[in-house]
């Protein structure tokens, strides 16, 4: 299924390494601030919040995760 989601992205060396669905943009920005405060190596890791279309999939436990981001 394809839906518009708010996602917190973690970039390492300009590649997306992790992505998490967030309920709202404000929760995403809060998570970004917390993650940035806990960083030890500030140069290579960056966080970004985006609102984008994404292909989602349902896991065995019923949770929904991002399978693929659709950047337009």
């Amino acid at each position: 299924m394809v839906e518009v989601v708010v996602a917190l992205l973690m970039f390492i060396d300009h590649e997306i390494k992790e992505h998490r669905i967030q309920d709202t943009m404000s929760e995403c920005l809060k998570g970004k601030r917390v993650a940035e405060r806990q960083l030890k190596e500030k140069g290579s890791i960056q966080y970004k919040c985006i609102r984008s279309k994404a292909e989602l999939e349902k896991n065995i436990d019923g949770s929904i995760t991002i399978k693929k981001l659709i950047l337009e």
Side-chain angles (χ1 to χ4, degrees):
M1 76 183 116
V2 175
E3 291 186 25
V4 175
V5 297
V6 174
L8 175 58
L9 308 177
M10 179 177 73
F11 292 87
I12 298 177
D13 295 327
H14 306 290
E15 281 188 46
I16 297 173
K17 292 295 183 181
E18 191 172 325
H19 41 73
R20 302 281 179 176
I21 297 174
Q22 304 293 309
D23 291 330
T24 63
M25 185 60 79
S26 63
E27 283 186 27
C28 186
L29 293 170
K30 180 181 176 182
K32 178 184 173 199
R33 282 191 304 273
V34 169
E36 287 175 340
R37 287 180 189 146
Q38 295 174 352
L39 279 179
K40 293 181 178 41
E41 296 179 35
K42 296 188 182 211
S44 63
I45 300 174
Q46 293 180 319
Y47 293 92
K48 185 175 184 179
C49 292
I50 64 165
R51 185 181 318 270
S52 176
K53 286 184 183 178
E55 189 175 320
L56 305 175
E57 65 182 355
K58 191 175 263 190
N59 295 324
I60 294 172
D61 64 356
S63 64
I64 296 176
T65 59
I66 296 172
K67 183 176 181 182
K68 180 173 71 172
L69 287 171
I70 303 170
L71 303 173
E72 297 178 339

